[in-house]
Short mmCIF file of all heavy atoms in Angstrom, two decimals:
data_model
loop_
_atom_site.label_atom_id
_atom_site.label_comp_id
_atom_site.label_asym_id
_atom_site.label_seq_id
_atom_site.Cartn_x
_atom_site.Cartn_y
_atom_site.Cartn_z
N ALA Q 312 1.90 8.40 -7.78
CA ALA Q 312 3.25 8.92 -7.61
C ALA Q 312 4.00 8.98 -8.95
O ALA Q 312 4.87 9.84 -9.13
CB ALA Q 312 4.03 8.06 -6.63
N LEU Q 313 3.66 8.10 -9.87
CA LEU Q 313 4.33 8.09 -11.18
C LEU Q 313 4.04 9.37 -11.97
O LEU Q 313 4.88 9.84 -12.72
CB LEU Q 313 3.90 6.87 -11.99
CG LEU Q 313 4.54 5.56 -11.57
CD1 LEU Q 313 3.87 4.39 -12.27
CD2 LEU Q 313 6.02 5.57 -11.87
N ARG Q 314 2.84 9.91 -11.84
CA ARG Q 314 2.50 11.13 -12.57
C ARG Q 314 2.32 12.30 -11.60
O ARG Q 314 1.41 13.12 -11.74
CB ARG Q 314 1.26 10.91 -13.42
CG ARG Q 314 0.10 10.27 -12.74
CD ARG Q 314 -1.07 10.08 -13.70
NE ARG Q 314 -2.13 9.22 -13.26
CZ ARG Q 314 -2.77 9.23 -12.11
NH1 ARG Q 314 -2.44 10.07 -11.19
NH2 ARG Q 314 -3.75 8.41 -11.84
N ALA Q 315 3.21 12.37 -10.63
CA ALA Q 315 3.09 13.36 -9.56
C ALA Q 315 3.53 14.74 -10.01
O ALA Q 315 4.50 14.90 -10.73
CB ALA Q 315 3.92 12.93 -8.36
N ASN Q 316 2.78 15.74 -9.54
CA ASN Q 316 3.20 17.13 -9.64
C ASN Q 316 3.50 17.61 -8.23
O ASN Q 316 3.51 16.81 -7.29
CB ASN Q 316 2.12 17.97 -10.33
CG ASN Q 316 0.77 17.84 -9.64
OD1 ASN Q 316 0.67 17.37 -8.52
ND2 ASN Q 316 -0.27 18.26 -10.33
N LEU Q 317 3.75 18.88 -8.07
CA LEU Q 317 4.15 19.41 -6.77
C LEU Q 317 3.08 19.18 -5.70
O LEU Q 317 3.38 18.78 -4.58
CB LEU Q 317 4.49 20.90 -6.89
CG LEU Q 317 4.98 21.56 -5.61
CD1 LEU Q 317 6.26 20.90 -5.13
CD2 LEU Q 317 5.19 23.04 -5.84
N ASN Q 318 1.82 19.41 -6.05
CA ASN Q 318 0.74 19.23 -5.09
C ASN Q 318 0.63 17.79 -4.63
O ASN Q 318 0.47 17.51 -3.44
CB ASN Q 318 -0.58 19.70 -5.70
CG ASN Q 318 -1.71 19.65 -4.72
OD1 ASN Q 318 -1.55 20.06 -3.58
ND2 ASN Q 318 -2.85 19.14 -5.15
N THR Q 319 0.75 16.85 -5.56
CA THR Q 319 0.67 15.43 -5.22
C THR Q 319 1.84 15.03 -4.33
O THR Q 319 1.66 14.28 -3.38
CB THR Q 319 0.68 14.58 -6.50
OG1 THR Q 319 -0.28 15.10 -7.41
CG2 THR Q 319 0.35 13.14 -6.19
N LYS Q 320 3.02 15.55 -4.62
CA LYS Q 320 4.18 15.24 -3.79
C LYS Q 320 4.00 15.75 -2.37
O LYS Q 320 4.39 15.09 -1.41
CB LYS Q 320 5.45 15.81 -4.41
CG LYS Q 320 5.94 15.04 -5.60
CD LYS Q 320 7.25 15.58 -6.10
CE LYS Q 320 7.76 14.74 -7.25
NZ LYS Q 320 9.07 15.16 -7.70
N ARG Q 321 3.39 16.92 -2.23
CA ARG Q 321 3.13 17.46 -0.89
C ARG Q 321 2.12 16.61 -0.14
O ARG Q 321 2.25 16.40 1.07
CB ARG Q 321 2.63 18.91 -1.00
CG ARG Q 321 3.74 19.86 -1.35
CD ARG Q 321 3.25 21.27 -1.47
NE ARG Q 321 4.38 22.16 -1.73
CZ ARG Q 321 4.26 23.37 -2.19
NH1 ARG Q 321 3.07 23.88 -2.46
NH2 ARG Q 321 5.32 24.11 -2.40
N LYS Q 322 1.11 16.09 -0.85
CA LYS Q 322 0.14 15.19 -0.20
C LYS Q 322 0.83 13.90 0.26
O LYS Q 322 0.57 13.41 1.35
CB LYS Q 322 -0.98 14.85 -1.17
CG LYS Q 322 -1.84 16.01 -1.51
CD LYS Q 322 -3.25 15.75 -1.13
CE LYS Q 322 -4.07 16.92 -1.61
NZ LYS Q 322 -5.17 17.21 -0.79
N PHE Q 323 1.71 13.36 -0.57
CA PHE Q 323 2.46 12.17 -0.19
C PHE Q 323 3.32 12.45 1.03
O PHE Q 323 3.41 11.62 1.94
CB PHE Q 323 3.35 11.68 -1.33
CG PHE Q 323 2.69 10.71 -2.26
CD1 PHE Q 323 2.18 11.13 -3.47
CD2 PHE Q 323 2.57 9.38 -1.91
CE1 PHE Q 323 1.57 10.24 -4.32
CE2 PHE Q 323 1.95 8.48 -2.75
CZ PHE Q 323 1.45 8.91 -3.96
N ARG Q 324 3.94 13.62 1.06
CA ARG Q 324 4.81 13.98 2.19
C ARG Q 324 4.03 14.02 3.50
O ARG Q 324 4.51 13.60 4.54
CB ARG Q 324 5.47 15.34 1.92
CG ARG Q 324 6.39 15.82 2.98
CD ARG Q 324 7.62 14.92 3.06
NE ARG Q 324 8.43 15.28 4.18
CZ ARG Q 324 8.37 14.69 5.38
NH1 ARG Q 324 7.55 13.71 5.61
NH2 ARG Q 324 9.17 15.09 6.35
N SER Q 325 2.78 14.49 3.46
CA SER Q 325 1.99 14.55 4.68
C SER Q 325 1.41 13.18 5.05
O SER Q 325 1.25 12.90 6.24
CB SER Q 325 0.86 15.57 4.53
OG SER Q 325 -0.07 15.15 3.57
N ASN Q 326 1.12 12.33 4.06
CA ASN Q 326 0.52 11.03 4.36
C ASN Q 326 1.52 9.97 4.76
O ASN Q 326 1.23 9.13 5.60
CB ASN Q 326 -0.29 10.53 3.16
CG ASN Q 326 -1.59 11.28 2.99
OD1 ASN Q 326 -2.09 11.91 3.92
ND2 ASN Q 326 -2.14 11.24 1.80
N LEU Q 327 2.70 9.97 4.13
CA LEU Q 327 3.71 8.97 4.48
C LEU Q 327 4.27 9.29 5.86
O LEU Q 327 4.45 10.45 6.22
CB LEU Q 327 4.82 8.94 3.44
CG LEU Q 327 4.43 8.33 2.10
CD1 LEU Q 327 5.56 8.48 1.11
CD2 LEU Q 327 4.04 6.89 2.24
N GLY Q 328 4.57 8.26 6.61
CA GLY Q 328 4.98 8.45 7.99
C GLY Q 328 6.33 9.10 8.19
O GLY Q 328 6.51 9.86 9.13
N THR Q 329 7.29 8.83 7.31
CA THR Q 329 8.64 9.31 7.53
C THR Q 329 9.20 9.96 6.28
O THR Q 329 8.73 9.70 5.16
CB THR Q 329 9.58 8.15 7.93
OG1 THR Q 329 9.61 7.22 6.84
CG2 THR Q 329 9.11 7.46 9.18
N LYS Q 330 10.23 10.78 6.46
CA LYS Q 330 10.94 11.36 5.32
C LYS Q 330 11.63 10.27 4.53
O LYS Q 330 11.73 10.34 3.31
CB LYS Q 330 11.99 12.36 5.81
CG LYS Q 330 11.45 13.66 6.30
CD LYS Q 330 12.60 14.57 6.68
CE LYS Q 330 12.10 15.86 7.30
NZ LYS Q 330 13.20 16.73 7.71
N GLU Q 331 12.12 9.26 5.25
CA GLU Q 331 12.81 8.14 4.60
C GLU Q 331 11.91 7.47 3.56
O GLU Q 331 12.34 7.18 2.44
CB GLU Q 331 13.24 7.14 5.66
CG GLU Q 331 13.90 5.90 5.13
CD GLU Q 331 14.10 4.83 6.19
OE1 GLU Q 331 13.80 5.09 7.38
OE2 GLU Q 331 14.56 3.74 5.83
N ALA Q 332 10.65 7.23 3.93
CA ALA Q 332 9.71 6.59 3.02
C ALA Q 332 9.42 7.49 1.82
O ALA Q 332 9.36 7.02 0.68
CB ALA Q 332 8.42 6.25 3.74
N TYR Q 333 9.27 8.78 2.05
CA TYR Q 333 9.00 9.74 0.98
C TYR Q 333 10.14 9.75 -0.03
O TYR Q 333 9.91 9.64 -1.24
CB TYR Q 333 8.79 11.13 1.58
CG TYR Q 333 8.64 12.22 0.57
CD1 TYR Q 333 7.44 12.41 -0.10
CD2 TYR Q 333 9.70 13.07 0.27
CE1 TYR Q 333 7.29 13.42 -1.03
CE2 TYR Q 333 9.56 14.09 -0.66
CZ TYR Q 333 8.36 14.26 -1.31
OH TYR Q 333 8.22 15.25 -2.24
N TYR Q 334 11.37 9.90 0.46
CA TYR Q 334 12.51 9.97 -0.45
C TYR Q 334 12.75 8.64 -1.16
O TYR Q 334 13.10 8.62 -2.34
CB TYR Q 334 13.77 10.43 0.29
CG TYR Q 334 13.69 11.89 0.66
CD1 TYR Q 334 13.71 12.29 1.98
CD2 TYR Q 334 13.56 12.87 -0.32
CE1 TYR Q 334 13.62 13.63 2.33
CE2 TYR Q 334 13.46 14.21 0.01
CZ TYR Q 334 13.50 14.59 1.32
OH TYR Q 334 13.40 15.91 1.64
N LYS Q 335 12.54 7.54 -0.47
CA LYS Q 335 12.73 6.24 -1.10
C LYS Q 335 11.70 6.03 -2.21
O LYS Q 335 12.01 5.51 -3.29
CB LYS Q 335 12.63 5.12 -0.07
CG LYS Q 335 12.95 3.77 -0.65
CD LYS Q 335 13.14 2.74 0.40
CE LYS Q 335 13.54 1.43 -0.24
NZ LYS Q 335 13.73 0.38 0.75
N LEU Q 336 10.45 6.46 -1.96
CA LEU Q 336 9.41 6.33 -2.96
C LEU Q 336 9.75 7.11 -4.23
O LEU Q 336 9.72 6.55 -5.34
CB LEU Q 336 8.06 6.80 -2.41
CG LEU Q 336 6.89 6.81 -3.39
CD1 LEU Q 336 6.53 5.39 -3.80
CD2 LEU Q 336 5.68 7.49 -2.77
#
Side-chain angles (χ1 to χ4, degrees):
L313 283 170
R314 48 182 167 49
N316 54 16
L317 182 61
N318 185 44
T319 311
K320 285 185 177 184
R321 286 179 177 163
K322 293 239 185 212
F323 271 100
R324 181 67 186 96
S325 67
N326 286 341
L327 288 174
T329 62
K330 286 183 185 178
E331 177 189 356
Y333 174 79
Y334 289 118
K335 186 168 183 181
L336 176 66

